């Protein structure tokens, strides 16, 4: 029986979009059919080239991210997935996810994905209001999103995750909760909900719209938490909610620091603590793919990064696991977390400490304060 600790996740980055959303700073762009074909061929070669080094490790998650993976069509996605299956030991019950935009989720795509073995879709809906979708630069209407999701369910997909954004310019609490209600009517298995961030260099950042202030965004977040809890969703990470047994197994790898191997321009990998990535350069990837070594998260030594990632999750951090992993006492960190319990920001678990929903709102401050004991 293979050791669960040896399980591996595979990430495939598809850097293509029909058009760029105003808030997006990911490596993605429009491309010709020829460029997409060259990318697909290069990906298959690169997957095969690396597979021998990991052939004995069971792969339990495969994730197509982007960009817009659904844009390149079911046939190409099927080729990429088959390349992974040919080179790696993909488990029978592996979670295989494809990110999709509603406007590209036609019957031909969904049929091809089902045939290829894809069993999870992550759909960028973002809002139930068409004016907000236009403002964000999305290409679909909410009616198109509804139709796409119903079509996917009809084609046999039951594990569907939807993305929702809050804290949009001039967004009221009433309008946001209308979006939440409309999204819940679609009965997704999983929800990822993010506040809008104005990333440097994006069109929206240059426009510099006025966003709801911190207090208003906090109210939206807490209302969201309460609503989803009442609907039976488990709040398992700061920005993620799921029905029982429907959490994202792949994304959970990142928070648990499990091994994952990324392919494609801008894709990152982490194997036994070693980090490396392909540069943001499609031409270089297609002609001479090479990864470059990466440093740990800036300003975060391994124990600090571990604490930060654990405190993003509802499980929180285990004192015993921390001490076994880093051979240092957890007591000073526990003391800082304990001091915040009276304010309702932290709470003890059977093995350590976790943040509450209110704590998640100020997680950066809590983590910074907790780690400040390293400087004492």
């Amino acid at each position: 029986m293979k050791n669960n600790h040896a399980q591996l996740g595979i990430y495939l980055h598809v850097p293509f979009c029909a058009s760029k959303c105003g808030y997006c700073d990911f490596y993605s762009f429009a491309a010709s059919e020829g460029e997409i074909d060259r990318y697909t061929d290069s990906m298959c070669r690169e997957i095969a080239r690396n597979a021998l080094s990991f052939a004995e490790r069971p792969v339990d998650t495969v994730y197509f991210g982007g960009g817009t993976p659904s844009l390149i069509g079911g046939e190409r996605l099927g080729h990429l997935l088959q390349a992974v299956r040919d080179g790696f030991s993909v488990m029978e019950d592996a979670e295989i996810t494809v990110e999709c935009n509603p406007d590209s989720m036609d019957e031909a795509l969904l049929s091809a994905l089902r045939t290829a073995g894809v069993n999870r879709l992550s759909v960028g809906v973002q809002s139930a209001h068409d004016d907000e979708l236009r403002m964000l630069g999305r290409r679909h209407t909410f009616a198109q999103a509804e139709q796409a999701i119903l079509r996917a369910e009809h084609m046999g997909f039951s594990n569907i995750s939807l993305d929702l954004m809050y804290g949009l310019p001039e967004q009221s609490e009433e309008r946001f909760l209308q979006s939440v209600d409309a999204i819940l009517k679609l009965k997704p298995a999983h929800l990822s909900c993010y506040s809008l961030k104005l990333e440097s260099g994006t069109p929206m950042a240059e426009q510099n719209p006025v966003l709801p202030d911190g207090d208003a965004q906090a109210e939206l977040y807490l209302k969201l938490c309460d609503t989803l809890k009442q609907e039976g969703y488990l709040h398992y990470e700061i920005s993620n909610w799921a029905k029982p047994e429907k959490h994202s197994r792949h994304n959970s790898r990142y928070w648990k620091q499990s091994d994952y191997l990324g392919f494609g321009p801008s894709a990152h990998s982490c194997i036994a603590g070693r980090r490396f990535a392909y540069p943001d350069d499609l031409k270089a990837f297609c002609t001479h793919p090479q990864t470059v070594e990466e440093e740990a998260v800036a300003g975060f030594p391994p124990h600090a990064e571990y604490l930060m990632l654990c405190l993003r999750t509802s499980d929180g951090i285990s004192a015993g696991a921390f001490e076994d992993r880093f051979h240092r006492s957890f007591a000073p960190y526990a003391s800082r977390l304990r001091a915040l319990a009276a304010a309702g920001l932290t709470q003890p678990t059977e093995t350590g400490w976790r943040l509450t929903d209110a704590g998640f709102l100020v997680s950066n401050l809590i983590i910074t304060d907790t780690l400040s004991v390293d400087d004492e």
Side-chain angles (χ1 to χ4, degrees):
M1 186 173 179
K2 293 179 179 177
N3 189 331
N4 284 339
H5 293 296
Q7 289 178 354
L8 181 68
I10 301 288
Y11 174 78
L12 300 102
H13 187 72
V14 180
F16 307 118
C17 286
S19 60
K20 193 88 166 178
C21 295
Y23 56 86
C24 178
D25 69 340
F26 292 154
Y27 180 66
S28 61
F29 45 86
S32 68
E33 291 292 310
E35 288 176 305
I36 296 174
D37 284 336
R38 285 192 291 276
Y39 155 84
T40 305
D41 292 342
S42 298
M43 284 282 281
C44 290
R45 288 195 299 270
E46 188 66 358
I47 290 167
R49 187 176 74 86
N50 284 271
L52 288 177
S53 300
F54 300 91
E56 298 303 314
R57 298 190 62 172
V59 170
D60 66 334
T61 65
V62 181
Y63 194 102
F64 291 83
T68 308
S70 55
L71 179 67
I72 70 172
E75 183 177 353
R76 293 186 182 105
L77 291 170
H79 285 325
L80 293 174
L81 183 53
Q82 188 58 51
V84 173
R85 293 188 188 279
D86 289 344
F88 293 86
S89 178
V90 179
M91 299 171 65
E92 287 188 14
D93 66 343
E95 175 193 87
I96 303 175
T97 304
V98 173
E99 290 183 353
C100 301
N101 276 4
D103 60 312
S104 55
M105 290 172 63
D106 58 24
E107 190 168 311
L109 171 80
L110 295 168
S111 178
L113 295 183
R114 285 285 294 169
T115 300
V118 173
N119 53 30
R120 185 174 184 271
L121 303 178
S122 178
V123 185
V125 178
Q126 312 306 359
S127 171
H129 299 288
D130 289 348
D131 59 333
E132 291 181 346
L133 292 171
R134 287 192 296 272
M135 179 269 299
L136 291 169
R138 305 297 294 177
R139 295 173 60 86
H140 65 273
T141 64
F142 184 65
Q144 288 175 316
E146 290 178 302
Q147 292 163 8
I149 293 157
L150 292 174
R151 188 179 302 122
E153 291 174 342
H154 178 72
M155 298 291 292
F157 288 97
S158 59
N159 194 357
I160 300 176
S161 176
L162 304 182
D163 289 352
L164 178 65
M165 297 184 76
Y166 64 94
L168 306 183
E170 301 181 16
Q171 184 183 53
S172 66
E173 179 179 301
E174 180 183 13
R175 277 173 66 82
F176 173 64
L177 292 178
Q178 287 171 353
S179 281
V180 173
D181 184 59
I183 288 283
L184 289 175
K185 284 184 170 64
L186 297 172
K187 301 186 184 305
H190 183 281
L191 279 165
S192 294
C193 306
Y194 305 97
S195 63
L196 175 63
K197 295 288 192 298
L198 299 179
E199 302 291 354
S200 177
T202 62
M204 284 197 74
E206 293 176 4
Q207 295 164 9
N208 196 29
V210 177
L211 304 183
D213 64 26
D215 288 342
Q217 291 203 35
E219 285 298 317
L220 295 180
Y221 182 81
L222 293 176
K223 288 275 189 180
L224 175 68
C225 292
D226 289 343
T227 300
L228 296 184
K229 183 177 181 179
Q230 291 172 16
E231 294 295 325
Y233 288 87
L234 306 177
H235 191 185
Y236 72 100
E237 193 271 343
I238 287 180
S239 301
N240 289 275
W241 289 256
K243 289 292 189 176
E245 308 301 322
K246 294 297 185 180
H247 67 285
S248 170
R249 286 160 53 189
H250 184 84
N251 287 341
S252 293
R253 312 192 76 87
Y254 305 143
W255 306 316
K256 295 178 180 178
Q257 294 187 314
S258 300
D259 285 359
Y260 56 93
L261 190 63
F263 293 99
S266 88
H268 296 252
S269 301
C270 183
I271 303 293
R274 173 180 164 248
R275 299 174 185 274
F276 49 99
Y278 294 96
D280 298 356
D281 189 332
L282 177 64
K283 183 177 179 180
F285 180 81
C286 290
T287 56
H288 190 56
Q290 285 187 318
T291 59
V292 295
E293 297 293 320
E294 292 191 314
E295 300 293 332
V297 177
F300 282 87
H303 77 279
E305 183 185 359
Y306 179 83
L307 183 144
M308 172 186 69
L309 291 172
C310 286
L311 288 178
R312 287 186 61 91
T313 71
S314 60
D315 290 339
I317 186 164
S318 163
F322 178 89
E323 292 177 345
D324 289 345
R325 186 165 185 155
F326 299 106
H327 308 291
R328 61 195 300 158
S329 173
F330 185 71
Y333 309 104
S335 178
R336 289 298 178 98
L337 294 169
R338 187 178 299 110
L340 298 172
L345 300 176
T346 64
Q347 60 185 205
T349 66
E350 291 184 2
T351 60
W353 286 88
R354 67 174 298 273
L355 304 188
T356 63
D357 286 346
F360 281 154
L361 275 171
V362 289
S363 60
N364 289 341
L365 293 175
I366 293 174
I367 290 165
T368 299
D369 177 69
T370 302
L371 291 173
S372 68
V373 302
D374 291 344
D375 300 324
E376 295 177 352

